[in-house]
Amino acid sequence: MDLDALKKRAQEESSAIKNLSDLEKWRVKYLGRKSELSLFFDSFKNLSLEDRKNKGAQANKARIFLTSLYEQKKKSLESATTHFHFFDITRPGKKIPKGHLHPITLVLNDIIRSFEKLGFAVVLGPEIETEYYNFDALRIPRNHPARDMWDTFWLQKGLLLRTHTSPMQIRYMEKHEPPFRIIVPGKCFRFEATDSRHEFQFHQVEGLMVDDNISLANFKFIIEEVLKDIFKNQVTVRFRPSYFPFVSPGLEVDIKLKNKPRGQWLEVMGAGMVHPDLFDTVKYPKNMWQGFAFGLGVERIAMIKYGIDDIRFFFNPDIRFLEQF
Ligand code: PHE
């Protein structure tokens, strides 16, 4: 038997094989029990010892050659096909994490939507303010004790980080004639030590409504409507006299959730009737307009709404907190 010819033929055929089932056929043909090689081995039993040794050694070499050919081919086919073999398109995919809005943004959107329903327009103002708009024009002159109400981050040249959104009252009135109703959502900054109720940055929504027949009754109605809307009727509102230099009279608004009647009242805004001096400052004619103004604390609303007892969570990038919204 011509073993070299057999090896050559086997090698040629194996190099043309492209899949495992063809390779299996090849294995049966060249290495199986009925292969030429096996039959060749079988024929040895009639040979002399001498011949048997000789041919046996050659036949063994041929078998080792074919076996290693088979192993190599199998390996290369398997590595080329592994990818397809183990790719199961019916398996459920990995869940891709989805982003979402920050709790403050959610609450801010709620507040804005509630005021928009009542005809308020949204206006934005600068976070860097002048001393004039943040203080003087609001009847808080330099060296006046009322300035202590707002611990300030001062910048250069009389500029500062606004301590409240009230400067927009002046800026807006300078450019617009009544009647109007606006809200000014935005960030404010105070140079304060932080605790569970105070942060050095927070959000306010300023409100200003000016017309020719406005009283505190209008303010009460509108604020109650908005708070009921935000808290889906589950809230009690309390008005308390207070002082701010740019309103007269001034008041503060506290709220409490109806389902926690024994809980604490939480202050959510300062407010009052616009002081007539402000109308003079923006050169409105005397005794023509009245208005109310308020500054709503957004974090306070969010704390009550979501039952969060520390304001510092909002500016802390702790994913375990943020993931809950
Ligand atoms: N600007 C005041 C504050 O930050 C709140 C306020 C706004 C009070 C409007 C009265 C009128 O404390």
Side-chain angles (χ1 to χ4, degrees), residues 62-233:
R63 185 163 59 190
I64 290 166
F65 174 83
L66 291 175
T67 308
S68 90
L69 206 59
Y70 170 78
E71 298 292 350
Q72 272 171 31
K73 188 74 193 178
K74 191 171 172 223
K75 231 187 231 165
S76 87
L77 283 176
E78 274 174 354
S79 73
T81 53
T82 295
H83 183 66
F84 300 102
H85 265 291
F86 295 98
F87 186 81
D88 178 359
I89 59 162
T90 65
R91 272 181 70 173
K94 272 198 193 130
K95 211 171 166 195
I96 296 167
K98 207 163 63 177
H100 56 84
L101 297 175
H102 190 278
I104 292 298
T105 310
L106 293 172
V107 168
L108 210 41
N109 289 345
D110 276 359
I111 296 171
I112 291 170
R113 214 170 293 132
S114 294
F115 279 108
E116 279 179 338
K117 283 188 213 166
L118 298 175
F120 282 75
V122 179
V123 180
L124 301 179
E127 289 173 4
I128 293 178
E129 262 299 357
T130 63
E131 185 173 4
Y132 174 75
Y133 285 109
N134 197 85
F135 290 125
D136 300 86
L138 293 170
R139 304 182 73 249
I140 318 165
R142 198 179 290 194
N143 304 325
H144 190 284
R147 279 225 181 164
D148 293 350
M149 292 168 76
W150 295 276
D151 301 305
T152 309
F153 285 109
W154 289 95
L155 308 172
Q156 290 167 335
K157 298 186 194 121
L159 294 176
L160 48 82
L161 295 180
R162 67 176 173 197
T163 59
H164 51 181
T165 40
S166 299
M168 271 307 283
Q169 292 185 30
I170 303 291
R171 285 184 181 277
Y172 191 82
M173 289 195 289
E174 279 178 345
K175 298 214 172 102
H176 300 83
E177 291 293 315
F180 56 75
R181 45 183 101 172
I182 58 160
I183 52 170
V184 188
K187 226 181 230 175
C188 305
F189 307 84
R190 294 202 192 159
F191 186 43
E192 313 193 310
T194 62
D195 63 30
S196 65
R197 292 270 174 96
H198 298 90
E199 254 292 6
F200 59 82
Q201 59 174 339
F202 57 95
H203 296 79
Q204 279 189 340
V205 174
E206 191 80 8
L208 180 65
M209 178 167 180
V210 181
D211 207 326
D212 62 7
N213 192 17
I214 297 287
S215 74
L216 268 187
N218 300 105
F219 169 70
K220 278 188 73 173
F221 175 80
I222 283 181
I223 283 309
E224 276 175 348
E225 282 303 298
V226 165
L227 290 171
K228 275 194 268 177
D229 195 32
I230 295 170
F231 288 100
K232 305 200 164 61
N233 261 325

